[in-house]
Amino acid sequence: MSKVLLIDVDGTLVDYENNLPASAVDAIRKARAAGHKVYICTGRSRAEVYQNIWDIGLDGMIGGNGSYVEDGGQVVMHQCIPAEESRRIVDWLHSRKLEFYLESNNGLFASENFETAGQSAMQEYTRRKGRPGADELTVRDAFPDMIFGGELYRDDLNKVSYLLGSYQDFLDAREAFPEMQHNTWGGAGETALFGDMGVKGINKAHAIDVLLRHLGAKQEDTIAFGDAKIDIPMLEYCAYGVAMGSGGEEIRAMADYVTDDVDKDGLYKAFVHLGLIEG
């Protein structure tokens, strides 16, 4: 029976240096040839899904942690932050002297000093992932297509990520914008490096539900693959959940199956284990 496969990108399909294992490409192409549908389900906005990922051959994507759904080139759902709210967020972050970047399907738009202020946070994020070369990483390395000096008052935003001076900044943002969905990333609690804000009620599980209704597919035929805490609702919603071996402790504990690391052919091995492809 054909399945609907939902695959996170960073830490699942690619490693944290954006390396795409050839085995993952092979696994997805074989799975689609066998009749399965394959969608990436990512925190990235569409502008951050580079051509090498589309070249794998995909049926579509869920982006912005669930704010955007695309199937076969057709936009199924896109819920942006209202323009007035986006302006208020930008003004509030400026008033707090917190550097940020805006995430839309049209690009990533950095605040005035994000390139310099964000470098140490991105280096620390890479270091925590155990990747080499963290001390030499620049913001432009991490976000090669980021737009500096662009318009910050926008009506096309999926979400906003901002540097945390302290965890209190996240708590204050949550209080200032109770109508928004709030998350942190780059660490848990006081160790978090970034906060983000998006449309309330939006997450990967909700977007998968929207996609399945569009496809006329059943929840019982879904399999999710992820590596981070933010992927847990996706794994909980889908009939079967796979965590990467290199993933966080929380998602590995709740997954139905834990495969190998992303750079050790983990995705391919999981596809074989589940009988989606032949080894």
Side-chain angles (χ1 to χ4, degrees):
M1 182 179 293
S2 63
K3 301 292 183 183
V4 179
L5 311 182
L6 292 308
I7 304 172
D8 173 54
V9 174
D10 296 287
T12 303
L13 177 61
V14 305
D15 66 21
Y16 282 94
E17 293 177 305
N18 278 310
N19 296 311
L20 174 62
S23 62
V25 176
D26 188 34
I28 290 171
R29 288 176 177 170
K30 286 180 176 177
R32 292 188 75 226
H36 305 295
K37 287 187 170 291
V38 182
Y39 298 83
I40 54 171
C41 192
T42 175
R44 297 188 187 197
S45 293
R46 201 185 194 287
E48 300 170 84
V49 180
Y50 304 123
Q51 193 58 45
N52 67 322
I53 293 177
W54 287 115
D55 286 345
I56 297 170
L58 299 168
D59 289 283
M61 71 171 287
I62 290 170
N65 281 333
S67 66
Y68 177 77
V69 180
E70 178 183 317
D71 174 51
Q74 175 188 353
V75 178
V76 178
M77 180 188 77
H78 192 190
Q79 294 188 254
C80 295
I81 302 171
E84 183 178 334
E85 192 74 348
S86 298
R87 177 183 287 265
R88 199 163 73 85
I89 291 168
V90 167
D91 289 345
W92 186 84
L93 291 168
H94 275 144
S95 74
R96 299 279 298 217
K97 295 182 168 48
L98 298 174
E99 299 300 324
F100 58 90
Y101 63 94
L102 311 175
E103 303 181 47
S104 88
N105 284 2
N106 296 309
L108 300 184
F109 301 88
S111 63
E112 293 80 356
N113 300 307
F114 182 79
E115 183 172 6
T116 52
Q119 182 164 312
S120 61
M122 292 312 304
Q123 289 176 348
E124 177 60 20
Y125 181 66
T126 304
R127 197 174 293 116
R128 289 177 183 180
K129 293 295 180 181
R131 301 299 175 190
D135 293 340
E136 288 77 42
L137 185 76
T138 68
V139 166
R140 289 181 187 260
D141 291 332
F143 302 108
D145 292 337
M146 181 170 275
I147 298 165
F148 300 91
E151 176 58 55
L152 298 179
Y153 290 146
R154 309 189 63 84
D155 62 1
D156 60 351
L157 299 186
N158 299 324
K159 61 189 177 102
V160 178
S161 287
Y162 58 95
L163 281 166
L164 292 172
S166 71
Y167 190 66
Q168 189 62 46
D169 292 322
F170 167 73
L171 299 177
D172 291 346
R174 195 167 59 181
E175 182 176 351
F177 300 95
E179 70 282 6
M180 303 297 294
Q181 183 94 12
H182 294 267
N183 294 294
T184 61
W185 55 278
E190 296 285 350
T191 68
L193 298 170
F194 287 87
D196 67 42
M197 303 185 220
V199 178
K200 196 148 194 164
I202 290 295
N203 58 42
K204 291 183 177 183
H206 171 264
I208 295 168
D209 187 63
V210 170
L211 174 64
L212 294 181
R213 283 189 274 114
H214 168 75
L215 295 173
K218 297 178 181 179
Q219 187 176 358
E220 64 197 54
D221 293 326
T222 55
I223 305 175
F225 303 78
D227 76 306
K229 185 177 179 179
I230 201 164
D231 297 320
I232 289 176
M234 173 172 73
L235 268 67
E236 289 176 335
Y237 176 89
C238 290
Y240 197 88
V242 178
M244 306 304 288
S246 46
E249 183 177 339
E250 288 176 274
I251 194 169
R252 286 187 283 109
M254 60 76 61
D256 296 298
Y257 177 70
V258 179
T259 188
D260 213 331
D261 296 0
V262 59
D263 54 358
K264 295 179 181 176
D265 302 326
L267 205 62
Y268 186 93
K269 291 173 182 176
F271 276 35
V272 171
H273 174 80
L274 295 172
L276 299 169
I277 62 174
E278 295 183 5

